[in-house]
Amino acid sequence: RRAIERLRVLGTGRVLLVGALAQLARWLERKGKEYDPEALKLLLEAEQALNESLEATRDGEARSDPSHEIGSVGGAAIPVQDVRARLREIQEEKIAAEGDPERLARLEIEETSSQRLVEASRAQVLKSVELKREIALLYLKLDRCEDSLQYLLHCEYLERWLHGSQSANVGRILKALGTVHLSMQSFDKAEHCLRQALRIFESDHPPNNTVIRDIRAKLSSIVGDN
């Protein structure tokens, strides 16, 4: 805690601050449920510090490089201009989506995440996904399902760019999304996410049988509830 306070006072070393905040949050979470709100507060501060670090480097040399790569799908690099092209498409799709609040909300999430991909380095995006995932899971533990859902949707989009739509990383996020939808009793959405996750993990080599069994159990519970 003293090291964190010193980093806060100095206002520099944001990367160190992000790591220290996240480490302390994980330690608090392991101590028990009563410490979860404080852990969440620290993770949100870590996310803010990471965003400030991104802002500080936005105009750096790497950001001005039109061939800048932010991830890979199937071993192929993703150039940042592809993301910029998608941003232009999103603007057109948002106009067409007027009157469809759910579609518009998803496009706005994709737009925010796409902008983050353009501005950030791969390392920053990976750290951002890690923090967002931890924040989402803590929100779920605190029964703040809507907040958890929003963070997981950001994670899903970023993981697809970074690792590909059929990656185990995306499968884990889809499984988490299914769990949140179950908590919200949105059974159709939960089943959709869980079946997507199941397909990913069943095709993985070697298959993760523990995860597969857990997903199948959740799908069975949906059938039972309905």
Side-chain angles (χ1 to χ4, degrees):
R1 288 181 185 271
R2 286 196 295 269
I4 288 172
E5 286 302 323
R6 183 168 178 78
L7 287 168
R8 283 171 175 156
V9 170
L10 290 173
T12 57
R14 290 186 183 91
V15 174
L16 291 174
L17 179 59
V18 169
L21 288 166
Q23 186 174 354
L24 179 56
R26 293 176 195 125
W27 180 78
L28 284 170
E29 190 179 0
R30 287 195 297 270
K31 287 188 68 177
K33 188 173 182 178
E34 65 270 26
Y35 292 95
D36 286 347
E38 186 180 356
L40 175 63
K41 183 178 177 181
L42 289 166
L43 286 173
L44 290 171
E45 184 181 349
E47 183 188 30
Q48 180 61 36
L50 183 63
N51 289 340
E52 289 171 359
S53 175
L54 187 152
E55 295 289 335
T57 59
R58 176 184 291 176
D59 298 322
E61 182 178 349
R63 303 292 78 74
S64 64
D65 181 0
S67 65
H68 172 54
E69 298 167 358
I70 50 86
S72 62
V73 173
I78 302 171
V80 74
Q81 57 259 41
D82 287 359
V83 188
R84 290 196 177 108
R86 178 59 189 147
L87 277 167
R88 290 192 292 271
E89 292 173 359
I90 290 170
Q91 292 301 315
E92 297 174 1
E93 290 179 27
K94 283 173 69 176
I95 295 171
E98 289 182 5
D100 185 348
E102 187 171 344
R103 172 63 177 157
L104 194 59
R106 289 191 68 91
L107 284 169
E108 286 173 350
I109 287 173
E110 184 178 353
E111 183 179 39
T112 301
S113 298
S114 295
Q115 190 61 47
R116 187 68 72 210
L117 284 167
V118 170
E119 296 167 352
S121 69
R122 180 178 172 83
Q124 286 172 315
V125 175
L126 288 168
K127 175 56 71 174
S128 178
V129 172
E130 180 185 347
L131 286 174
K132 287 180 187 300
R133 184 171 56 245
E134 292 187 53
I135 290 168
L137 294 177
L138 262 177
Y139 271 137
L140 182 58
K141 287 175 68 176
L142 294 166
D143 294 322
R144 293 176 58 176
C145 293
E146 286 286 354
D147 292 317
S148 179
L149 185 65
Q150 293 305 306
Y151 270 86
L152 285 172
L153 287 171
H154 279 287
C155 287
E156 180 196 5
Y157 179 75
L158 292 170
E159 291 282 28
R160 286 182 189 278
W161 269 111
L162 288 168
H163 302 290
S165 296
Q166 299 304 307
S167 67
N169 297 66
V170 171
R172 283 190 287 271
I173 297 299
L174 287 168
K175 179 176 178 286
L177 279 167
T179 302
V180 174
H181 284 306
L182 269 178
S183 297
M184 299 171 71
Q185 297 188 320
S186 300
F187 298 117
D188 289 343
K189 292 179 179 178
E191 183 176 6
H192 178 70
C193 291
L194 290 169
R195 290 199 182 281
Q196 286 186 81
L198 183 61
R199 283 195 294 271
I200 289 171
F201 284 110
E202 284 182 334
S203 63
D204 204 16
H205 299 286
N208 189 325
N209 292 318
T210 302
V211 173
I212 289 171
R213 282 195 298 270
D214 187 39
I215 294 172
R216 285 177 176 164
K218 285 181 167 63
L219 286 168
S220 296
S221 75
I222 293 173
V223 174
D225 287 338
N226 287 314

